[in-house]
Amino acid sequence: MLIGEELNQWIDRLGLPDIGQELLKTIFSSEPVRRVGGGANNTYGFYASLKMGKTIAFESGSIEQPGLEQFYEYNDEVIGYLDQPWRFTLRYPSKSGKTVSPGYTPDYCVLYKDCVEIDEWKPEKKLVELTEQQPNRYCKDENGRWRSMPAEEAIHPYGFRFRIRTDAEINWVKVSNIRCLRAYLNPDKKYRVDEQVEKSITAIVASHPEGILLDQLRREINEATIDDIYALIAENIIWVDQDAVSLTDNQAQVKIFSSQKMAEACVLVQQTKTIPLESSLQIIDIVEGTTFYWDGKPRKILHIGEDLIYVQGEGEHNLSRLSSTDFRALIHQGDIIYPKNSKGETFSDEVRDMLLSASPTDLAEANRRYWIIAPRLHGRPINETTPDRTIRFWLANYRRAEENYGCGFVGLIPQKNLGNHYSRYSQPVWDFVDKIIETEYETSIQPTRLAAYGVLLAQWNKEKEEGKIAGEPPSYQAFCERIKNRPIYQKTFARQGKRAAYQVASTYWELDYKTPRHGSRPFEICHCDHTEEDIELICPRTGRNLGRPWTTILIDAYSRRILAVWMSFDPPSYRSCMMVLRICVQKFNRFPETIMVDNGKEFHSVYFDTLLAAFGCHKKHRPAGKPRFGSINERFFGVSNTQFFYNLRANTQITKHVRWITKSNDPKQQAVWSLGELYEHYAFGYCYEFYDKEKTHPALGQSPAEAFAQASLNTGSRPHQFIDYTQDFVMLTLPSTRKGTAKVQTGRGVKINGFWYTAKDGSFNHPDVEGKQVSIRYNPFDLGEAFAFIKGLWVPCISEHYAILRGHTEKELQIFAAEKKQERRRYGQELSEAARSNAVRFLSSDRLSEKQASQRQRDLSALDVQQRIDGHYPFPSSNQMDSSLTLISQSRSELNDSEPSFVEQLTDEIDIKSIKPYGDEDLWEM
C-alpha cells in the first residue's frame, strides 16, 4: 500500500485534476464512509488483505469477495484498493421522467498503475431487473458492457473511471486456486522448499514436456510433500493452468508443466498432430457386469482375465470362455450384440430429459423391450413368444425415436400420456382464479379457502353481469386444487411472513467452485457459534444450583472436526470468542483462515476483529435469521444433545412440558454435575475423542479425525502457518480499554478500568517512561493483573488492591456496577469514581448479594474449566500439535536445520508495537 511521499509521487504521475488529487488523498486518509451489511441472502464480512495490510469489507461472499481476490489482491497491475471510498450524488431522469438525485456509495476505489477506477459489483441477473426499473441509470452498450452513465458523469470531473463488474466475470476455478495457494503467496511467511527437493521436482517435470499429472508427480518423488509442490506452483517455478483446472478438486486432472510457454507449445502440437484412425474393434469398451445378446439370448460378462473373457448364460453354472480376440471378432461380425460404446458421446437435451423423467420401472421395461427386438435390429430372427404385432410396434417406435432424437432407446420407454390432459377451464378463467388467490387468500389475515372462494363467486357474478366474463365459475374443488398447486414458499410468505416461509424454503446445494459449501481443506472455513445447554449444574463448593451453562464451539467445516470447546455460565461475549480461539491454537497450533459467524454483538467486537486481523483470518457474517448458513453448528448441537446431554441426570427435556414437572423430576432438584466435571467429560471425552475419532460421520463416511488427516496429506499441512502458543499470542487475545493506552503517573502507575496498577519489575520508575502513554491490556478473568507495553515488552502489572481483586472477574465487577448504578439512579445520580472504592470494599467483604454471590460461584466454576484445559495443554506449549499433523510434518523437520523454524518466524513477525489501540465503543460488547 502506498503511503507518504510514494503516494504523492504516484498521484502526480497520474495527471489528475486538482479536485481529483484532493479527493484521492481524502479517501486514503479516511475510514470507509459506511459499514457494510449483507442482504437477505448474502454473507458479508471482512477480507484480511495482504496487499493493503488491513481488512477490506465486502457485502457479498459470492460476488465481491471472489471478485477482489481474483481482480485486486493478486493482480500486479493493482497497487491498492479501498472499500466504501466516498459518497456522492447521482442525477438522472427516472422511468416516469422525473429527475431524481439519490446518494450513492460505490463498492471499491481501485488504484491501478496508470489510473483510478471506481468499481461497483452487481449480479448479472440483478442488473437485468434494474435495467427495466431504472433504464436511465443502468444499460448495456454496443459492446455488451454494463454501464451507468449518471455515475460516469458524476466522477468524470475527478479524472476517475467508473466500471460495473458482474459475477459473470468471475472464474471460480481460479478463485479456488487462489484460496488454495494464498498461504504460499505471503512474502512475510514464506514456505521454504528444500533445495534438493526443488531440483528433483523440477527435473521430473522437465522430463515430461507434454506435462505430468499431479498425482503421478507425487508418486515419483516420495521425499516431496504436497506443500512443496504448491509452493513451487505459487512461485511459478513449475506451471499449472490455474484458470482451467482446480488444484484441490481432482488432482488426477491437474497437469504440471515446466513453464507456461511449454504448456502453450504442447497445445499447438496436439492441435496439428495427425491421429491415426482406430478400428471399431479397438474402441469397444468391454466391462465386467455388462449384459449383451448372443445366439438370441442375453448373456453377462462375469469376469475379464488377461486373455480370456468369462461369460455367464441363463443358468448359474452355464459358463463360457472366449478369448478377447474371438469376442471382439464376434462383435464385429454381428454374432454378438454388444452395447454401443458411449465414450465421447453426449445426449441431446431431449434425450436427457426423457431419461431423467422416466421412472426405474419404465427404464426396466424399456430394457426388456430392447433385448427382445435387438436380434431384429441386426437382421436376425426373434425367438420370443411376444406377439409379432407388438414387436413391429416397438420397432416402429425405436426407429422413429432414432430418426427424431438420434437415440432409438427412448422410443421404447412406456408413454404415460393416455387420457384427456386438457384443462376443463380456459387460461383466462385460471388467470381470474389466480388473481383472487393473490389478493384474497394469500394475505396476512390468513382467511380460509372457503372464505376466499366466497369472494371469488361474488366477483365472478359481478363481472358476469357487466359482460366481462361468461360461463360458470370453477368449482370449489378446482379452486382448492389450484391453491394446493401454488408454490408453498410463496403461499407461506404471503400468509405467515418470511420467518415461516424460511422453514419451507428450498435448500440450495452449491457443489461448484462458486461457494464451496464446506471448503476444500481443513482450517479453510471454520464455524463458530454458541448454545445454552439443556442441563442444570451446581456449584462444587456450595452445592447450589447455578443454572444452565453456555457452550461455544469452533468446528472445521471440511472435516467436521471439533477444533475447540469453551464452556461457562456467562452469556456469549468477546470472552467466549477469545477463549475458543485460544484453545484452538493450544490444540493444533493453527488459526482459521475464514471464520463464519452470525450477527451477535460479540462477533462485532473490536477485540475479536483485531485478533482475526493479526493472523490474516477473514470473517464472514451469515444473513440474519438464516440458521441454515450455520447448519454445521446447529446439527452438531442437536447430535450432542441426543447422544450426550439427554443421557445425563438433570437434563431439561422435561421443561418442554411445564405441567408435567414435579419435585421428583425437576432438573433443578436433580442437578449433580459441576461445570468443571461436565467440561471434562463433554470436551475431552465426547467432542475430542468419541465424536472426533470413534464416530463415523454420515456426511463423510469416516471419522472427522480421519478426514482431517487425509485432507492434510492431500492438500498440504501448511507448516509455515503454525502458531506457537506463547505469551505473545495470549496477549493478542486480551482486551484493552476504549482508549487503548494509559498515562504512567509517577508513584502510582497506570489506571485501568478505575484501578491503579504498577509494574512488578519497577519499569514505571524509569525517567523515560514516567508521564508517557503506554499500551495496556487486562485479564478479564483476573482483575488483579494487567499488562503494559514498555520498551518493546509486555510487562506484568499488579493492582494496588491485588490481594482483594485477585481471582475476581470482570463480570463480577459489571454486576456490582450495574446494581450500584441502578441504586444511584433513584436519586438522579450516576456511577462515579466513589463506586470503584465501594467495589473494592464489596469484593473484600463477606456481605454479598444473591446475584453477586451466584456470579462468584460461576466464575470459580469457569476457573475449574481453565485448569482442566491447562492440564491437557500445558502453557506455554512447546509447539504442541495434533498427532496427525505431527506425522505429516516429521519429514520436513530436518530439512532446514540452519534456518529458523516456521513457528519462530511467525512469532517474530507479530509486531507487538503495531497492535493499535481499540476504539469505537459501540462495536464491542463487554
Side-chain angles (χ1 to χ4, degrees):
M1 180 178 176
L2 298 178
I3 57 175
E5 188 59 31
E6 292 182 354
L7 174 62
N8 294 330
Q9 292 177 0
W10 172 75
I11 293 177
D12 292 339
R13 287 199 303 270
L14 293 180
L16 298 174
D18 293 341
I19 187 175
Q21 295 184 22
E22 293 299 323
L23 176 59
L24 202 55
K25 293 177 181 178
T26 302
I27 293 174
F28 264 90
S29 60
S30 305
E31 294 296 319
V33 297
R34 69 180 185 93
R35 291 187 61 83
V36 300
N41 297 299
N42 286 345
T43 56
Y44 71 98
F46 301 89
Y47 182 83
S49 171
L50 300 176
K51 176 174 287 188
M52 298 303 297
K54 60 186 295 187
T55 56
I56 303 296
F58 57 86
E59 289 186 293
S60 171
S62 60
I63 299 179
E64 290 184 12
Q65 183 189 5
L68 64 88
E69 288 176 303
Q70 178 180 348
F71 296 103
Y72 304 157
E73 182 71 12
Y74 297 101
N75 186 348
D76 293 336
E77 295 299 316
V78 175
I79 62 176
Y81 58 101
L82 298 167
D83 61 287
Q84 313 300 317
W86 99 100
R87 184 176 179 84
F88 56 92
T89 303
L90 303 178
R91 290 182 62 86
Y92 60 93
S94 65
K95 192 173 183 179
S96 62
K98 181 181 178 181
T99 300
V100 294
S101 303
Y104 172 63
T105 304
D107 292 325
Y108 298 102
C109 176
V110 188
L111 316 174
Y112 291 90
K113 292 181 179 179
D114 58 352
C115 67
V116 179
E117 186 173 275
I118 305 299
D119 283 1
E120 175 72 17
W121 284 89
K122 293 285 186 185
E124 185 92 10
K125 183 179 179 180
K126 182 66 175 178
L127 281 170
V128 174
E129 298 175 1
L130 290 175
T131 303
E132 298 179 358
Q133 300 169 5
Q134 305 172 18
N136 295 316
R137 179 170 177 177
Y138 297 100
C139 65
K140 247 185 180 181
D141 63 14
E142 60 278 4
N143 297 321
R145 295 185 307 167
W146 288 102
R147 302 183 66 177
S148 175
M149 302 309 297
E152 293 181 17
E153 294 172 0
I155 68 170
H156 177 72
Y158 300 96
F160 301 167
R161 298 189 312 191
F162 184 83
R163 183 175 182 180
I164 295 179
R165 311 201 73 153
T166 71
D167 53 346
E169 302 178 50
I170 298 173
N171 183 337
W172 298 104
V173 175
K174 184 175 182 64
V175 171
S176 173
N177 291 332
I178 287 174
R179 292 172 178 175
C180 174
L181 298 177
R182 173 182 167 86
Y184 309 93
L185 294 170
N186 187 353
D188 298 329
K189 301 175 185 177
K190 192 175 181 62
Y191 181 91
R192 292 184 174 88
V193 182
D194 180 75
E195 184 177 351
Q196 188 59 42
V197 172
E198 180 179 341
K199 289 181 179 179
S200 300
I201 294 175
T202 54
I204 292 176
V205 175
S207 65
H208 293 78
E210 75 285 359
I212 181 172
L213 296 177
L214 176 56
D215 56 352
Q216 180 182 350
L217 176 61
R218 296 185 67 183
R219 289 193 300 267
E220 292 191 16
I221 180 167
N222 295 327
E223 65 269 23
T225 66
I226 190 64
D227 292 288
D228 298 323
I229 299 174
Y230 281 165
L232 296 180
I233 293 174
E235 296 177 10
N236 283 325
I237 297 176
I238 54 180
W239 190 85
V240 172
D241 187 0
Q242 299 182 32
D243 293 343
V245 59
S246 171
L247 293 170
T248 57
D249 185 50
N250 189 353
Q251 294 184 351
Q253 297 179 354
V254 178
K255 184 171 285 189
I256 302 176
F257 298 87
S258 58
S259 66
Q260 183 177 356
K261 296 297 182 183
M262 178 61 72
E264 294 172 352
C266 289
V267 172
L268 295 176
V269 169
Q270 291 295 331
Q271 290 177 349
T272 58
K273 182 179 179 181
T274 302
I275 302 176
L277 297 177
E278 295 179 319
S279 69
S280 60
L281 297 181
Q282 294 173 314
I283 64 174
I284 295 175
D285 190 12
I286 302 175
V287 182
E288 289 184 1
T290 303
T291 301
F292 61 94
Y293 205 85
W294 188 17
D295 291 337
K297 295 180 181 180
R299 307 292 177 90
K300 185 176 182 179
I301 297 178
L302 191 64
H303 176 67
I304 300 176
E306 293 184 2
D307 296 318
L308 294 176
I309 297 177
Y310 296 83
V311 178
Q312 182 177 1
E314 293 181 340
E316 180 180 356
H317 302 289
N318 186 2
L319 298 177
S320 302
R321 293 185 300 176
L322 290 172
S323 68
S324 177
T325 304
D326 291 343
F327 189 84
R328 293 177 184 273
L330 290 173
I331 296 174
H332 185 64
Q333 296 169 10
D335 295 327
I336 289 180
I337 303 172
Y338 193 84
K340 185 180 179 182
N341 180 23
S342 62
K343 188 175 182 180
E345 298 180 357
T346 58
F347 294 133
S348 64
D349 293 339
E350 294 88 348
V351 172
R352 184 180 294 105
D353 292 340
M354 292 179 186
L355 293 175
L356 292 176
S357 61
S359 66
T361 304
D362 294 338
L363 293 176
E365 175 62 18
N367 290 335
R368 187 185 72 86
R369 294 176 180 180
Y370 175 80
W371 288 115
I372 290 174
I373 69 172
R376 181 74 63 84
L377 294 174
H378 293 81
R380 297 178 178 276
I382 296 179
N383 297 325
E384 280 284 343
T385 58
T386 306
D388 188 61
R389 182 176 180 179
T390 301
I391 292 177
R392 290 199 307 271
F393 176 72
W394 289 344
L395 284 169
N397 290 343
Y398 182 92
R399 290 174 176 136
R400 188 182 304 112
E402 191 172 37
E403 180 181 351
N404 295 336
Y405 308 113
C407 179
F409 178 82
V410 296
L412 302 177
I413 298 176
Q415 302 298 313
K416 300 285 184 70
N417 58 350
L418 301 178
N420 181 12
H421 294 274
Y422 293 100
S423 175
R424 177 182 176 184
Y425 303 103
S426 63
Q427 187 60 41
V429 173
W430 286 128
D431 293 341
F432 179 87
V433 173
D434 290 340
K435 182 178 180 182
I436 295 297
I437 294 175
E438 292 175 2
T439 58
E440 301 298 333
Y441 180 76
E442 294 179 353
T443 67
S444 59
I445 302 175
Q446 302 184 57
T448 63
R449 288 176 293 182
L450 187 60
Y453 184 69
V455 176
L456 182 146
L457 293 178
Q459 187 67 23
W460 183 279
N461 293 331
K462 179 181 178 181
E463 295 195 6
K464 186 176 182 180
E465 292 176 359
E466 296 175 355
K468 298 179 180 179
I469 199 169
E472 296 300 319
S475 65
Y476 178 66
Q477 290 76 11
F479 179 74
C480 293
E481 187 67 21
R482 191 69 173 180
I483 291 177
K484 181 180 178 181
N485 294 332
R486 300 268 294 181
I488 187 172
Y489 179 85
Q490 177 181 329
K491 287 189 297 186
T492 309
F493 183 87
R495 290 171 62 86
Q496 299 175 331
K498 64 179 181 180
R499 296 209 172 197
Y502 182 72
Q503 305 303 319
V504 297
S506 300
T507 300
Y508 297 95
W509 301 89
E510 299 186 46
L511 301 179
D512 54 17
Y513 304 112
K514 184 176 180 180
T515 49
R517 184 173 171 80
H518 301 301
S520 57
R521 63 185 180 279
F523 285 101
E524 181 185 5
I525 300 175
C526 299
H527 290 246
C528 184
D529 206 352
H530 322 276
T531 188
E532 190 175 21
E533 302 295 1
D534 292 339
I535 190 171
E536 295 282 344
L537 303 183
I538 61 171
C539 175
R541 298 164 180 83
T542 65
R544 180 182 179 183
N545 184 282
L546 297 179
R548 297 163 57 184
W550 282 88
T551 299
T552 301
I553 298 286
L554 184 67
I555 301 180
D556 175 54
Y558 181 84
S559 66
R560 307 298 205 280
R561 198 169 197 187
I562 310 301
L563 302 179
V565 179
W566 170 251
M567 187 178 287
S568 71
F569 286 106
D570 293 337
S573 67
Y574 77 89
R575 291 178 288 271
S576 307
C577 306
M578 172 188 73
M579 289 305 299
V580 79
L581 290 172
R582 185 188 291 186
I583 295 169
C584 178
V585 174
Q586 272 186 297
K587 287 180 79 250
F588 297 96
N589 296 97
R590 283 290 302 274
F591 209 86
E593 296 180 26
T594 299
I595 189 165
M596 177 73 78
V597 296
D598 59 25
N599 288 277
K601 290 184 179 180
E602 68 277 7
F603 293 124
H604 289 280
S605 163
V606 171
Y607 307 145
F608 185 63
D609 290 346
T610 303
L611 181 61
L612 298 184
F615 292 95
C617 177
H618 316 311
K619 183 179 69 167
K620 298 179 72 172
H621 292 273
R622 58 179 182 256
K626 303 285 185 178
R628 289 180 190 166
F629 281 78
S631 59
I632 293 178
N633 297 78
E634 301 298 336
R635 289 171 183 168
F636 173 75
F637 291 148
V639 169
S640 63
N641 273 339
T642 304
Q643 296 182 346
F644 184 80
F645 289 104
Y646 286 172
N647 296 305
L648 301 180
R649 185 172 177 177
N651 71 76
T652 59
Q653 293 183 80
I654 191 66
T655 57
K656 298 176 182 177
H657 309 281
V658 180
R659 294 182 180 273
W660 297 355
I661 298 177
T662 63
K663 187 175 181 180
S664 61
N665 64 9
D666 186 356
K668 293 184 181 295
Q669 302 296 328
Q670 293 184 330
V672 294
W673 287 90
S674 68
L675 183 65
E677 294 170 339
L678 181 68
Y679 183 84
E680 180 80 24
H681 288 79
Y682 179 60
F684 298 105
Y686 177 77
C687 295
Y688 301 156
E689 287 295 328
F690 174 75
Y691 186 88
D692 187 45
K693 301 175 182 176
E694 300 178 19
K695 185 177 182 295
T696 298
H697 198 287
L700 305 173
Q702 57 186 161
S703 69
E706 291 171 341
F708 184 94
Q710 180 180 349
S712 298
L713 286 170
N714 292 333
T715 63
S717 60
R718 291 163 167 75
H720 58 301
Q721 289 188 316
F722 289 161
I723 301 170
D724 215 3
Y725 187 74
T726 63
Q727 185 67 26
D728 287 338
F729 171 78
V730 174
M731 292 305 306
L732 289 171
T733 66
L734 295 182
S736 182
T737 59
R738 292 193 301 269
K739 184 179 179 183
T741 62
K743 185 178 181 179
V744 178
Q745 300 285 350
T746 304
R748 302 208 68 178
V750 294
K751 181 181 283 189
I752 303 176
N753 294 330
F755 299 111
W756 288 99
Y757 291 81
T758 185
K760 286 184 178 181
D761 59 359
S763 299
F764 288 165
N765 298 327
H766 197 278
D768 294 340
V769 178
E770 291 181 349
K772 304 291 185 179
Q773 292 281 342
V774 295
S775 298
I776 53 174
R777 299 286 175 104
Y778 67 92
N779 187 349
F781 299 100
D782 188 350
L783 295 179
E785 65 177 9
F787 301 88
F789 192 69
I790 302 174
K791 295 184 178 180
L793 296 174
W794 286 103
V795 177
C797 304
I798 59 173
S799 171
E800 59 179 340
H801 304 294
Y802 179 76
I804 300 173
L805 295 178
R806 180 183 181 184
H808 290 279
T809 66
E810 182 184 31
K811 189 68 176 180
E812 282 185 87
L813 192 61
Q814 289 175 349
I815 290 176
F816 171 78
E819 292 184 349
K820 201 69 177 177
K821 185 175 182 178
Q822 182 64 26
E823 179 182 339
R824 290 183 175 274
R825 188 174 292 169
R826 299 173 186 174
Y827 303 98
Q829 299 178 359
E830 293 294 332
L831 183 65
S832 63
E833 183 67 23
R836 296 293 178 181
S837 301
N838 293 337
V840 175
R841 290 196 298 272
F842 146 70
L843 293 173
S844 61
S845 67
D846 295 329
R847 298 174 59 190
L848 300 177
S849 70
E850 181 179 356
K851 188 175 182 181
Q852 295 160 354
S854 177
Q855 182 61 42
R856 179 62 179 155
Q857 292 172 356
R858 290 170 175 165
D859 291 336
L860 291 174
S861 297
L863 182 61
D864 294 340
V865 172
Q866 292 191 56
Q867 291 173 348
R868 281 171 165 79
I869 295 173
D870 293 338
H872 283 79
Y873 308 104
F875 176 81
S877 168
S878 58
N879 195 21
Q880 184 176 10
M881 299 183 298
D882 180 81
S883 58
S884 61
L885 290 179
T886 304
L887 293 174
I888 294 169
S889 60
Q890 278 179 349
S891 61
R892 303 286 302 129
S893 59
E894 299 177 357
L895 295 179
N896 295 313
D897 293 336
S898 61
E899 299 289 341
S901 68
F902 294 117
V903 176
E904 292 172 344
Q905 297 174 38
L906 179 60
T907 305
D908 293 339
E909 288 159 1
I910 299 176
D911 186 5
I912 305 298
K913 297 181 180 180
S914 66
I915 301 177
K916 298 181 179 179
Y918 299 112
D920 198 351
E921 179 182 3
D922 295 333
L923 296 180
W924 54 276
E925 176 76 2
M926 296 295 288

